[in-house]
Amino acid sequence: MRSRSSRWRLRAALAVLALGALALAAPALGALSASPQATWVTDGTVDAIAVAPDGTQYLGGSFSLVGPRTGGFAVADTATGAVNVGLPDVRGTVVAIASDGAGGWFLGGAFSSVGGVARSNLAHVRADGVVDPAFAPNPDGAVRALALVGGTL
């Protein structure tokens, strides 16, 4: 069994190696960092990173999935399972979704921004994937349910 200080040294060494690997991979990662949706994430901890001379990155850790970052809102094709990663990133949690009837969506939950636009807990994403600039109701708490009846939300 390792002592607490040797585990700390091992973690520090792995962190230094990971930072070095990321520095070497920075040119390859530059294209990916253009938008939050282009950044890939894991569902657990990454403990090791290695970059091959051809730029391929190898990750090790306690995770079982790797995929594109979607934030708190994603649309998946029911036939193929493909996720549309071109939607605005939600910073927070979405707990209610309602179709606007025109290809867009109303989002409710506990969030602070959608697509980089300040939106507190309620937002409208138009069919073109753009946050509706005219819809900014700013509720005073989390939105837990939505219903669209006629043209009234």
Side-chain angles (χ1 to χ4, degrees):
M1 188 165 137
R2 290 188 178 142
S3 71
R4 177 179 252 163
S5 65
S6 66
R7 284 192 308 260
W8 182 88
R9 278 190 230 116
L10 177 61
R11 286 185 180 138
L14 285 173
V16 169
L17 287 172
L19 288 173
L22 286 174
L24 289 173
L29 292 172
L32 292 177
S33 62
S35 72
Q37 292 85 0
T39 304
W40 283 48
V41 296
T42 65
D43 66 344
T45 303
V46 175
D47 296 312
I49 301 172
V51 181
D54 67 356
T56 302
Q57 298 174 43
Y58 297 89
L59 306 176
S62 58
F63 56 88
S64 59
L65 296 171
V66 177
R69 175 175 163 42
T70 62
F73 174 58
V75 175
D77 184 299
T78 56
T80 66
V83 175
N84 179 348
V85 294
L87 295 171
D89 180 46
V90 175
R91 295 296 175 162
T93 303
V94 174
V95 296
I97 300 175
S99 171
D100 68 1
W105 300 95
F106 290 101
L107 310 177
F111 49 83
S112 60
S113 70
V114 178
V117 179
R119 288 293 182 265
S120 180
N121 307 321
L122 186 58
H124 179 225
V125 178
R126 300 184 314 205
D128 62 2
V130 173
V131 177
D132 184 347
F135 185 83
N138 200 25
D140 63 358
V143 174
R144 302 191 189 290
L146 295 171
L148 185 65
V149 179
T152 304
L153 181 66

